[in-house]
Amino acid sequence: MPDNASPVRQPAPPASSKDLEREVADLIVQALNLDVTAAEITPDAPLYGEGLGLDSIDILEIALVVSKQYGIQLRADSEENEHIFRSLRHLSDYIAAHRTK
Amino acid sequence: MSDVARVAAALPAGQHVLNVCSDRYRFTVGFAAGLVRGKVSLLPSTHTPEVIRQLTLFAPDVFCLTDDSKCDIDLPRTYFPELTGVVAGGLAVPAIDTEQLAAYVFTSGSTGTPLPYKKTWGRLLRCVHDGASRLGLLDGPAHPGRSHTIVGTVPPQHMYGFESSVLLGLQTGSALCAERPFYPADICSVLAAAPRPRVLISTPVHLRALLAAGIPLPETDLIVSATAPLSHELAREVEAAFGTRLLEIYGSTETGQIATRRTAETAEWQLWPGVTLTLKEDGQAWAQGGHVEQPTPMCDVLELTEGDRFLLHGRMADLVNIAGKRSSLAYLNHQLISIRGVVDGTFFFPDESHASSTGVTRVAAFVVAPDLDATTLTEALRRRIDPVFLPRPLIFVDKLPRNGTGKLPQEALRELAARHLRPPT
């Protein structure tokens, strides 16, 4: 974590994985202007293809939001990539484990 | 060449190939193997089950060449063979007749049947040769005697990726990076690993994502963008960020690439040698000459300026272009109302204030279908149209604001949209 990051600008760390899931769902809905509310995204439903129906442009948009908000650069060549977008829960777990801010 | 020979030997008897290899090198070897065996590549704009069905009507002997063991395309499948290095004896580089039919590319058409366009090997070569000359890739004074390395973020099956990565590589003897990097961090690492001089073949969507990612960008010797026009400002930002020139290419599936511009310096496009544009009385521009096989109407509103220069003023009203996938509202509407249970429906393309952070605007749809729910309808559409055109949002209404003659006035549609669509936050 960079030393010069001001503590007041850091988002408050969510109390639990449930809160982070909700926060990520909110980000997705906002970034993609989706027609559903964050609460309507089932944590275990697929994000890609069927399920929420996201496509590769959406995944790129989410990657941008995730890099801005949590300081994570997603990589397609990492083994985890396929798992990350399997569901909201997978994505949130990945963020929780790798966030730098 | 020994890889080409190995794959050529593995191809079945069918005359038509649907090459879906995602690895750019395998795609290229597969394409070359098809050429050597006198086969024709089919390049449709999407691989939905409906389009695959149409392809089998167009060419009943079509087979699918794939490098993905999970490929579920409903055609006889040939798996890309294991490449085990150089075969003894090798193979001489074959001379391919310029009149040989190399590929059919398809546009979505407006009536539900994809429209085929013939591409002979000679015309493809001439197009890519003229393009390479415009991009300065034929003889690089900065790096004499050294060929370029091409990194592409576009799939080799897309007309732009086909011309500007696969064929450009074959034509200029450049090295091709087999990967198709996706995330900004991937693109940067593939670029950084590519020997210089290196060229990035990309799109406005990926260039915006690269700028927005806020990561260090590797020095690059040329950036090429196509699929949708870049703004002057974005082009300048890209040039500043990569410390190099950015050239944009203009073209269409029907004509191939026909013009270039350096967007940071001028809004005017310059036609490639031999290609000319003529405005017909109805205001539509037609391209001909050079590598363009026959006079072909362009689907954009063009203003001819001086000599071989022109300005681009957006697409014709009916056309939709989302991140390089092109369709027409007429086609999308036809697919929508062909679904059982849909009483009436129309797609709607919102203005650019609805664009996302990578600059993409999605289509919305209004539908009258009292007995269908959104999930069922979306799944039915997914079988028929490319996923980028799936309506977002899909809005159920009691009826559409049709006028006395049954037409849908744009004004009434815009009012309906204003009530239902919200701009992105």
Side-chain angles (χ1 to χ4, degrees):
Chain A
M1 185 178 298
D3 304 325
N4 58 357
S6 152
V8 287
R9 283 172 52 211
Q10 299 263 343
S16 72
S17 62
K18 218 73 235 108
D19 291 346
L20 181 61
E21 260 170 35
R22 184 58 186 269
E23 185 182 296
V24 175
D26 265 330
L27 283 175
I28 294 178
V29 168
Q30 274 177 34
L32 305 181
N33 194 22
L34 291 183
D35 210 14
V36 297
T37 65
E40 284 172 314
I41 299 181
T42 320
D44 290 315
L47 294 172
Y48 201 77
E50 287 157 37
L52 198 54
L54 304 188
D55 58 29
S56 63
I57 304 167
D58 297 318
I59 301 296
L60 204 52
E61 304 268 4
I62 294 176
L64 280 184
V65 176
V66 166
S67 78
K68 284 214 168 74
Q69 192 77 21
Y70 304 108
I72 303 173
Q73 291 294 342
L74 293 172
R75 301 283 297 249
D77 52 6
S78 78
E79 297 248 322
E80 295 136 323
N81 189 59
E82 220 177 292
H83 301 276
I84 298 173
F85 286 101
R86 217 172 257 177
S87 68
L88 175 60
R89 181 160 298 154
H90 279 90
L91 177 61
S92 304
D93 290 349
Y94 182 84
I95 290 171
H98 294 84
R99 61 191 298 177
T100 60
K101 60 182 186 187
Chain B
M1 278 317 298
S2 60
D3 289 347
V4 172
R6 184 179 298 275
V7 175
L11 295 180
Q15 267 307 104
H16 297 88
V17 195
L18 179 71
N19 182 343
V20 298
C21 292
S22 57
D23 177 290
R24 204 175 304 273
Y25 178 71
R26 291 199 203 111
F27 176 91
T28 307
V29 169
F31 171 71
L35 269 185
V36 170
R37 290 276 308 270
K39 298 184 188 302
V40 183
S41 286
L42 302 187
L43 299 167
S45 59
T46 179
H47 296 147
T48 58
E50 175 63 14
V51 163
I52 299 298
R53 194 185 64 80
Q54 301 272 8
L55 282 187
T56 60
L57 298 179
F58 175 77
D61 66 353
V62 62
F63 65 92
C64 171
L65 177 67
T66 178
D67 58 357
D68 178 6
S69 58
K70 285 179 275 181
C71 173
D72 60 356
I73 289 178
D74 188 18
L75 288 177
R77 287 190 287 268
T78 297
Y79 290 95
F80 196 89
E82 190 84 15
L83 299 176
T84 50
V86 179
V87 180
L91 189 73
V93 176
I96 306 289
D97 187 344
T98 53
E99 292 304 312
Q100 183 176 327
L101 183 58
Y104 279 106
V105 298
F106 295 83
T107 61
S108 63
S110 57
T111 56
T113 315
L115 294 176
Y117 293 85
K118 285 182 180 182
K119 302 282 171 183
T120 59
W121 179 234
R123 300 279 179 162
L124 283 175
L125 274 191
R126 171 151 185 200
C127 170
V128 176
H129 176 272
D130 292 348
S133 156
R134 263 307 152 71
L135 299 178
L137 298 182
L138 285 186
D139 41 9
H143 304 271
R146 288 178 58 192
S147 69
H148 289 70
T149 312
I150 297 175
V151 175
T153 65
V154 276
Q157 289 85 2
H158 185 282
M159 192 59 187
Y160 166 48
F162 182 57
E163 291 176 312
S164 288
S165 64
V166 175
L167 296 178
L168 191 63
L170 291 175
Q171 168 84 48
T172 60
S174 299
L176 276 181
C177 283
E179 298 98 330
R180 182 189 159 203
F182 177 73
Y183 295 115
D186 296 328
I187 300 173
C188 288
S189 67
V190 172
L191 263 181
R196 296 183 69 178
R198 51 193 174 221
V199 184
L200 177 63
I201 303 293
S202 195
T203 69
V205 171
H206 282 107
L207 293 175
R208 275 178 203 274
L210 278 166
L211 288 183
I215 49 177
L217 304 172
E219 271 188 274
T220 302
D221 300 278
L222 175 67
I223 313 250
V224 179
S225 176
T227 66
L230 278 174
S231 68
H232 175 71
E233 291 73 25
L234 190 60
R236 289 182 63 141
E237 278 181 56
V238 172
E239 289 206 347
F242 281 94
T244 190
R245 291 180 310 151
L246 176 143
L247 295 177
E248 269 194 286
I249 296 179
Y250 173 78
S252 70
T253 304
E254 295 90 326
T255 58
Q257 307 177 338
I258 59 168
T260 9
R261 69 174 177 183
R262 184 167 175 191
T263 315
E265 292 183 344
T266 176
E268 275 187 322
W269 297 87
Q270 185 181 14
L271 287 164
W272 290 2
V275 183
T276 57
L277 285 174
T278 321
L279 277 193
K280 291 276 164 92
E281 274 173 20
D282 59 2
Q284 186 159 32
W286 288 62
Q288 61 185 315
H291 62 83
V292 181
E293 308 235 352
Q294 57 199 359
T296 306
M298 302 305 295
C299 299
D300 294 301
V301 181
L302 305 181
E303 178 193 341
L304 309 190
T305 47
E306 222 171 291
D308 57 356
R309 313 287 168 128
F310 67 92
L311 292 167
L312 172 60
H313 295 300
R315 57 182 187 282
M316 311 273 246
D318 188 49
L319 281 183
V320 183
N321 182 338
I322 300 182
K325 298 259 187 184
R326 200 182 86 182
S327 192
S328 70
L329 290 173
Y331 174 81
L332 296 174
N333 289 343
H334 175 86
Q335 296 296 338
L336 178 61
I337 59 175
S338 303
I339 293 169
R340 186 186 293 263
V342 172
V343 179
D344 198 1
T346 185
F347 276 80
F348 177 77
F349 197 56
D351 64 48
E352 280 166 9
S353 68
H354 292 263
S356 71
S357 59
T358 54
V360 174
T361 308
R362 301 282 188 159
V363 279
F366 299 99
V367 63
V368 183
D371 300 327
L372 294 180
D373 60 34
T375 314
T376 315
L377 186 48
T378 305
E379 283 318 304
L381 269 175
R382 190 187 294 281
R383 291 189 55 77
R384 293 168 169 269
I385 63 177
D386 190 281
V388 300
F389 301 115
L390 288 175
R392 192 180 293 175
L394 171 64
I395 297 157
F396 285 83
V397 290
D398 293 333
K399 64 181 176 65
L400 292 180
R402 291 196 183 273
N403 66 16
T405 60
K407 291 212 167 87
L408 269 175
Q410 269 303 312
E411 195 48 46
L413 261 184
R414 272 198 290 272
E415 278 171 26
L416 187 65
R419 287 205 300 277
H420 289 280
L421 305 185
R422 63 195 158 98
T425 41

